[in-house]
Amino acid sequence: MASDFEARLRAVSLRVTRPRLAVLAALRDHPHVDTDTVIALVRVTQPTVSHQAIYDVLRALTDAGLVRRIQPAGATARYECRVGDNHHHVVCRSCGAIADVDCAVGRTPCLTASDDHGFTVDEAEVVFWGTCPGCAAERTSQWSASSEGSR
């Protein structure tokens, strides 16, 4: 997989460096993580890498289109390697978990604005909000326990 990352970096005229490869690997294995998590994941294999180096790598990879930065309302910025397909996200209101949601099938209706005001639209950011299965199950078990205690 490292050679694939190397090819991607070279394709966008970025030098191949260990921190860049480590960040790409971290995001491949852990999509939708924040900067602090990326730093922790990279430091497993690159213990001396600085915070600033990771910030610089994330910025360079995002600017080059190899990484996507997302920031749901009220949340810290998150990063992922899945780029170029105009997918969306679903976010748990309780724990903040994020999952990918493919764009509607067929011609991309989310890119057809009712009034584009003359803009050439090339991306739509849709965020679905709700409760993930884990948090829903926890709420159900807490509700069941509290209703049994009131009997």
Side-chain angles (χ1 to χ4, degrees):
M1 185 56 86
S3 63
D4 180 46
F5 291 151
E6 291 171 7
R8 289 184 201 179
L9 288 166
R10 288 187 179 107
V12 295
S13 302
L14 288 178
R15 285 185 316 116
V16 176
T17 64
R18 280 183 272 161
R20 287 177 178 162
L21 293 172
V23 167
L24 287 169
L27 294 176
R28 174 200 59 211
D29 297 339
H30 306 277
H32 312 125
V33 292
D34 62 14
T35 306
D36 288 339
T37 304
V38 173
I39 292 168
L41 292 166
V42 169
R43 283 189 171 164
V44 170
T45 60
Q46 308 288 315
T48 60
V49 72
S50 70
H51 280 72
Q52 190 60 50
I54 299 300
Y55 282 105
D56 292 345
V57 167
L58 287 168
R59 186 176 317 107
L61 295 175
T62 301
D63 290 348
L66 296 178
V67 166
R68 182 176 178 190
R69 180 182 186 271
I70 61 169
Q71 189 165 8
T76 59
R78 307 290 183 99
Y79 297 88
E80 64 182 344
C81 284
R82 185 176 171 186
V83 296
D85 66 352
N86 197 50
H87 71 280
H88 309 300
H89 297 95
V90 60
V91 181
C92 179
R93 289 185 189 278
S94 183
C95 70
I98 300 175
D100 291 333
V101 176
D102 289 332
C103 193
V105 295
R107 196 166 163 275
T108 51
C110 55
L111 291 181
T112 306
S114 61
D115 183 356
D116 63 19
H117 299 278
F119 285 66
T120 300
V121 177
D122 61 14
E123 182 179 6
E125 187 170 314
V126 176
V127 178
F128 300 94
W129 293 88
T131 305
C132 72
C135 290
E138 185 177 315
R139 284 185 181 166
T140 301
S141 67
Q142 288 175 349
W143 181 81
S144 295
S146 66
S147 63
E148 284 179 16
S150 63
R151 290 185 189 174

